[in-house]
Amino acid sequence: MKLKFSCLFLIFIQVQVALFAQTQTLTSVGTIDEFNTAIKKAIPGSTIILKNGIWKDVKLNVHGIGTKEAPITITAEKDGEVIITGNSKLTISGKYMVVNGLWFKDGIPTDKEVISFKKDSKTFAYNCRLTNCTISNYNPTDKSIESHWVDMWGQNNRVDHNNFTGKTNGGTTLVVWLKGEEHIENKHLIDHNFFGERPELGVNGGETIRIGTSENSMKSSKTTVEFNIFKHCNGEIEIISNKSFDNIYRNNLFLESEGTLTLRHGNRALVENNVFVGNNNPRVGGIRIIGEGHTVQNNLLIGISGDDYRAPIVVMNGVPNSPLNRYFQVKNATIQNNTLINCNAVQFGAGKDNEKTLAPINSVFANNLITNTNGGKIYNAHDVINGITFTSNFVDADVEIDANYFTKALVEWEMLGSLPMPSVNNEILKTAIKIATSPVVDITNSTRTNFVAGAFNLGNKIIPEAIKTVAGPTWKPLIEKPTIVQKTQTFEVDPGVETLSKALKKVSSGDVLLLNPGVYLVDKSMKINGNISIIGKIEGSGVEIKANENLEKPISYFFRVTQGASFTMKNITLNGDAKDVVKYAVVSPDENESEIYNLTIDNCQLINFTNKNGGSVFKAYVGTIADTISIKNSIISDAYRGLNLSYEKDPLGKYNAKNLLVHNTVFKNIDEFAINYYKSGSAVEGGNLKVTNCIFSKIYNDEKGYAIKNKNIDNVSIVNSVFEGSYQVKNLVSLSSPTQTITNCLVYDNGSLKIANGAISTNVEFKNPKWEDKKLFIPSDKSPLLKENNGIANIGLQIKIINNHQ
């Protein structure tokens, strides 16, 4: 008996010593070498403390085997004061590893991910955690490079209480991967994170969260995304892109984020108890539904003014026998108990076209509450909706409704803090409560089992949990955009052969080249890198750029604006006339170089670009995107084509400039179009064309010709402009949506306007302009172009261009 007791006591002591060792291993490191040594020795319960300071160009490979009771922890000495920067990367792999308190700040990464839950192609993370960290402004210098901030692999990992702000390059901020059996039904948790500002990318690939891919979208992920805040996440139309099965999105708060929570691929998603606040921004959307078996319930949407694919709730049409990367038909969807306050119309059968022909079927739209004060439409049906069962949906708005789908209700609203909510005393809603004492569809993993009309718990007046969400790290990072200090220099350049090309090779971003009057002959095309201005020194004094006549190989273009560059050209004439006519005056970056650039042409003449083998004054190559192209106070004449931004063919809706602004400019003697600004479909919103005080004279004089083509461009405004001298043209301008307008313009000896689908034409006169000087487009005293004669505003050029180009 005594021997047995002694053995048991010895075993007890050994266990206690082992537990003590597991819980008391504490190591402080100040260099990457010290960290590498410490991580190799880490055992369950170990804590490795990174000393405060700058950790630059480090590869932190966090790998080990902890336990649920005793994880291995890597933490900052003080939260937020370990700064990871430069070309640094963190990998997390093994079991029960925790990373806490780090700040990845203003880095310049070259890898495809900043943080990855895998060490290599065979070593992944299980039950690991990234918490209380920040990644801010951690972007490659080349913004066209696609990379991610966090890649989640393995199973049962958690990303929580982090701040992700300032991603500007291509690639999703956080990706959950399902490539490989190790990652199926991963049950990852993404919670209590703050996803901050992400500017519009201009192309696909700017999602904030993506779960899965098209290729793996038929696999189950079972990832939960909850209690996060998404503020100004404007990277692209899909803020969250669901591309797998069985995911949950609940109790998240979306603040003025220009896009939607998109159920893009995969089935059986649950979207519940989320709050969307748009503040009437027309690019802010809500929830877009594609595929089978989704449930969208108990969501609150306020001031969501987006339309089409960015509406508050969008139920898409599908493609027959859809491939994985297109649109599956909506089937067995349940959309119930949602509240929409001052939102745009719900969209049913959105996207219907020759490809997307399958309307939603076997679906339910029930117990939803919709109210607005603007008299706007409640819904738009783009296809038949007899495949959707409508039950107990209430509308409080001064608008006509279809009683087959909605019931009018006068709702009394109370303020709970700053949040409007329906009063529990509403008789119509009391009736709704009785109608909906049980779910239309019982969702066993729902957070609620008793439903009323709308997303509110009327009896208890409970503010939605998403409104009360506290997200981000316990410490508050002060995030500022990194500043780049540039020393601007100005260089004078004299005319001659290749003098301009040689000067361009010497400048740095921010510099200005001042060209003295004279002719500048060039032997080869020139590229603009960085922020460069080329300006004629004396306004109107005759600076001309031409191709050298004695060239063995013709010049394709004078200037190429490279990706990320910003080019300003002022007081200059570009003359394409040569033995071999120069094909383009200015071109965009090369094909698929997608970093945003800018172009400004002011007080210039661009003439004699008559190459008919696809030539134009300006060409945007496929896969490129400008933030702003601005042409003002200039003359574009005697050319085959004017501004050509029409080469995109991708059906997803790509385009080549966010803004095309043309002001106080003459287009004359153009064989084909003056402007062709094209977006390749309507799946992505975008495009802004503004034409003011311009002259279009003798443009594309053919029955099928046109002065301006703006297919699928969302916002078009043509104001105070003149169209003349193309008498064979049938439709000189075609406008086809309520956001496309032509105002206070004059048409003479020209075709007509094609106005359709709610586009707006106001004060357009078909009259003789009565020129005093037809060559310089100066109106006579009796001209209807003058404000004193038309009573609205001056039409045509402002005086500056007339003085500068006589």
Side-chain angles (χ1 to χ4, degrees), residues 242-437:
N242 182 87
K243 293 187 175 181
S244 51
F245 279 45
D246 304 316
N247 298 310
I248 298 174
Y249 306 94
R250 63 187 172 205
N251 296 312
N252 299 290
L253 176 61
F254 295 81
L255 296 172
E256 296 181 350
S257 290
E258 297 181 354
T260 65
L261 193 168
T262 303
L263 306 180
R264 185 64 184 87
H265 302 306
N267 301 329
R268 302 195 302 261
L270 173 62
V271 180
E272 67 174 358
N273 300 332
N274 302 286
V275 175
F276 297 78
V277 179
N279 288 329
N280 298 314
N281 180 332
R283 293 180 61 78
V284 171
I287 303 161
R288 186 157 64 112
I289 303 165
I290 304 154
E292 301 182 20
H294 299 307
T295 298
V296 176
Q297 63 187 20
N298 304 329
N299 299 286
L300 171 62
L301 301 98
I302 304 175
I304 304 300
S305 296
D307 199 1
D308 198 19
Y309 287 12
R310 294 178 193 257
I313 296 177
V314 184
V315 186
M316 293 286 296
N317 257 27
V319 175
N321 301 312
S322 177
L324 289 175
N325 65 345
R326 297 304 292 147
Y327 293 84
F328 282 82
Q329 185 179 21
V330 174
K331 299 179 182 179
N332 305 313
T334 301
I335 305 165
Q336 61 186 7
N337 301 90
N338 302 288
T339 300
L340 285 70
I341 301 175
N342 283 336
C343 292
N344 214 332
V346 176
Q347 307 290 319
F348 297 107
K352 180 187 178 183
D353 56 20
N354 292 333
E355 180 197 27
K356 295 185 283 293
T357 58
L358 300 179
I361 60 172
N362 300 328
S363 296
V364 173
F365 190 86
N367 298 338
N368 299 289
L369 174 61
I370 302 174
T371 183
N372 67 43
T373 57
N374 57 18
K377 293 183 68 175
I378 297 303
Y379 75 95
N380 287 318
H382 303 272
D383 203 340
V384 296
I385 55 175
N386 55 13
I388 303 174
T389 299
F390 289 80
T391 305
S392 301
N393 298 293
F394 294 91
V395 174
D396 176 17
D398 186 15
V399 61
E400 292 186 7
I401 63 169
D402 189 327
N404 293 312
Y405 309 127
F406 297 94
T407 300
K408 267 292 188 70
L410 183 60
V411 178
E412 296 177 9
W413 292 87
E414 298 179 358
M415 298 302 294
L416 190 57
S418 61
L419 180 68
M421 65 173 296
S423 169
V424 74
N425 295 320
N426 285 288
E427 292 301 320
I428 189 70
L429 293 180
K430 288 180 180 179
T431 302
I433 294 171
K434 293 178 181 178
I435 293 172
T437 54

Side-chain angles (χ1 to χ4, degrees), residues 663-674:
H663 172 67
N664 199 47
T665 290
V666 171
F667 295 83
K668 67 178 182 180
N669 301 331
I670 312 292
D671 291 348
E672 292 196 357
F673 53 79

Side-chain angles (χ1 to χ4, degrees), residues 408-581:
K408 267 292 188 70
L410 183 60
V411 178
E412 296 177 9
W413 292 87
E414 298 179 358
M415 298 302 294
L416 190 57
S418 61
L419 180 68
M421 65 173 296
S423 169
V424 74
N425 295 320
N426 285 288
E427 292 301 320
I428 189 70
L429 293 180
K430 288 180 180 179
T431 302
I433 294 171
K434 293 178 181 178
I435 293 172
T437 54
S438 61
V440 175
V441 175
D442 186 19
I443 306 299
T444 57
N445 58 355
S446 168
T447 57
R448 290 181 59 188
T449 57
N450 225 13
F451 290 68
V452 298
F456 297 98
N457 184 328
L458 300 183
N460 297 324
K461 293 187 178 181
I462 297 175
I463 295 177
E465 290 296 317
I467 293 287
K468 299 184 289 184
T469 293
V470 178
T474 56
W475 53 281
K476 302 303 178 185
L478 178 60
I479 298 174
E480 299 175 340
K481 291 183 179 179
T483 57
I484 300 175
V485 179
Q486 296 179 338
K487 295 182 180 179
T488 301
Q489 298 186 73
T490 299
F491 301 92
E492 283 198 25
V493 185
D494 291 324
V497 178
E498 281 292 280
T499 55
L500 178 56
S501 299
K502 293 174 182 177
L504 264 178
K505 293 177 181 178
K506 298 178 181 179
V507 297
S508 300
S509 183
D511 289 347
V512 178
L513 294 181
L514 278 183
L515 307 190
N516 288 313
V519 176
Y520 292 76
L521 297 176
V522 297
D523 292 345
K524 54 189 176 182
S525 298
M526 295 170 281
K527 293 185 177 181
I528 303 297
N529 299 296
N531 183 359
I532 301 296
S533 297
I534 300 178
I535 301 173
K537 184 178 180 181
I538 303 173
E539 188 173 304
S541 63
V543 171
E544 183 176 14
I545 299 173
K546 296 182 63 176
N548 199 334
E549 290 288 347
N550 302 316
L551 299 179
E552 294 182 5
K553 184 179 180 181
I555 292 176
S556 177
Y557 56 83
F558 282 121
F559 295 106
R560 160 158 276 154
V561 188
T562 61
Q563 58 179 346
S566 183
F567 179 36
T568 297
M569 183 171 63
K570 186 174 182 180
N571 306 336
I572 288 170
T573 295
L574 289 185
N575 190 343
D577 190 25
K579 180 175 65 176
D580 294 298
V581 175

Side-chain angles (χ1 to χ4, degrees), residues 641-704:
R641 293 170 174 167
L643 311 178
N644 194 355
L645 299 86
S646 68
Y647 287 92
E648 293 292 351
K649 303 302 178 188
D650 190 315
L652 294 177
K654 290 188 176 182
Y655 54 105
N656 295 122
K658 297 180 185 180
N659 302 285
L660 177 56
L661 313 178
V662 187
H663 172 67
N664 199 47
T665 290
V666 171
F667 295 83
K668 67 178 182 180
N669 301 331
I670 312 292
D671 291 348
E672 292 196 357
F673 53 79
I675 300 171
N676 191 348
Y677 182 24
Y678 172 79
K679 186 172 67 172
S680 60
S682 57
V684 176
E685 290 191 9
N688 177 37
L689 172 63
K690 189 172 184 179
V691 177
T692 54
N693 296 94
C694 290
I695 304 288
F696 297 86
S697 180
K698 299 180 181 179
I699 309 295
Y700 208 163
N701 194 18
D702 182 273
E703 183 179 355
K704 297 182 179 180

Side-chain angles (χ1 to χ4, degrees), residues 613-795:
N613 185 25
S616 58
V617 171
F618 171 80
K619 176 182 177 179
Y621 283 81
V622 65
T624 63
I625 180 74
D627 182 89
T628 301
I629 296 174
S630 173
I631 315 290
K632 56 188 177 181
N633 310 319
S634 295
I635 294 175
I636 296 175
S637 69
D638 301 296
Y640 177 55
R641 293 170 174 167
L643 311 178
N644 194 355
L645 299 86
S646 68
Y647 287 92
E648 293 292 351
K649 303 302 178 188
D650 190 315
L652 294 177
K654 290 188 176 182
Y655 54 105
N656 295 122
K658 297 180 185 180
N659 302 285
L660 177 56
L661 313 178
V662 187
H663 172 67
N664 199 47
T665 290
V666 171
F667 295 83
K668 67 178 182 180
N669 301 331
I670 312 292
D671 291 348
E672 292 196 357
F673 53 79
I675 300 171
N676 191 348
Y677 182 24
Y678 172 79
K679 186 172 67 172
S680 60
S682 57
V684 176
E685 290 191 9
N688 177 37
L689 172 63
K690 189 172 184 179
V691 177
T692 54
N693 296 94
C694 290
I695 304 288
F696 297 86
S697 180
K698 299 180 181 179
I699 309 295
Y700 208 163
N701 194 18
D702 182 273
E703 183 179 355
K704 297 182 179 180
Y706 48 87
I708 299 173
K709 190 171 186 178
N710 46 267
K711 186 175 181 181
N712 294 325
I713 298 301
D714 286 332
N715 300 297
V716 177
S717 174
I718 304 170
V719 182
N720 300 337
S721 295
V722 176
F723 300 84
E724 65 155 32
S726 301
Y727 59 90
Q728 295 186 62
V729 172
K730 184 177 180 180
N731 296 312
L732 62 97
V733 174
S734 296
L735 304 178
S736 58
S737 79
T739 57
Q740 297 182 348
T741 65
I742 183 167
T743 306
N744 200 41
C745 292
L746 184 142
V747 180
Y748 176 64
D749 195 21
N750 211 327
S752 61
L753 306 174
K754 185 177 181 181
I755 308 295
N757 300 324
I760 298 171
S761 173
T762 308
N763 299 319
V764 177
E765 300 286 349
F766 292 79
K767 294 181 177 179
N768 189 324
K770 296 183 180 180
W771 300 115
E772 177 179 304
D773 189 322
K774 190 172 183 178
K775 182 179 179 181
L776 297 177
F777 302 104
I778 300 174
S780 67
D781 292 341
K782 297 182 179 180
S783 172
L785 303 176
L786 300 178
K787 180 180 179 180
E788 54 262 36
N789 297 326
N790 64 43
I792 301 173
N794 288 334
I795 302 173

